[in-house]
């Protein structure tokens, strides 16, 4: 009986993990689809934010900084046109703003 329960639990965990991968953005090369661009961002509160523009990075003004996935549409940091950030309840649309420090995407819940 315990083998059957263990097998069913393993299958349930595997199914859950495979479905959670769908919720995260995966790089796919298609500018019309969301992809993970988290590494292209610097938190606005980070000391490196002052140099973000010169390093080709974008700013994120969010309570999560870069600790939560940032998914965008576009092919590179220079031409992103739609970004969202995962928070504790799902995905929040970020608003794009130009600042003297570079392009900033702002989290408005």
């Amino acid at each position: 009986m315990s083998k059957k329960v263990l097998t069913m639990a393993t299958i349930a965990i595997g199914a859950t993990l495979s479905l959670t991968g769908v919720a995260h953005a995966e790089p796919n090369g298609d500018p019309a689809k969301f992809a993970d661009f988290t590494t292209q961002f610097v938190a606005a509160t980070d000391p490196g934010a002052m140099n973000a523009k010169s390093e080709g990075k974008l700013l994120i003004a969010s309570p999560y900084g870069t600790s939560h996935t940032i998914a965008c549409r576009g092919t590179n940091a220079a031409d992103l046109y739609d970004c969202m950030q995962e928070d504790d309840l799902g995905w929040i649309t970020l608003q794009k703003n130009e600042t003297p420090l570079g392009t900033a995407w702002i989290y408005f819940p």
Side-chain angles (χ1 to χ4, degrees):
M1 180 71 173
S2 64
K3 281 186 178 181
K4 191 174 191 178
V5 170
L6 184 59
T7 302
M8 293 305 290
T10 303
I11 291 171
I13 291 170
T16 302
L17 290 175
S18 68
L19 291 176
T20 58
V22 175
H24 294 290
E26 299 293 332
N28 57 18
D30 184 352
K33 293 185 179 181
F34 283 97
D36 187 347
F37 278 90
T38 307
T39 60
Q40 300 297 313
F41 286 86
V42 175
T45 57
D46 189 289
M50 297 298 286
N51 301 323
K53 187 175 185 177
S54 64
E55 294 178 6
K57 299 278 187 171
L58 303 166
L59 296 172
I60 178 74
S62 163
Y64 302 106
T66 57
S67 67
H68 284 60
T69 304
I70 302 168
C72 302
R73 290 195 268 193
T75 55
N76 59 49
D79 72 352
L80 299 181
Y81 62 92
D82 189 14
C83 291
M84 299 188 320
Q85 185 172 35
E86 187 174 26
D87 69 4
D88 298 330
L89 300 174
W91 291 90
I92 296 291
T93 301
L94 301 173
Q95 294 190 5
K96 183 178 181 179
N97 289 294
E98 295 301 326
T99 71
L101 298 177
T103 302
W105 289 85
I106 302 173
Y107 175 97
F108 286 111

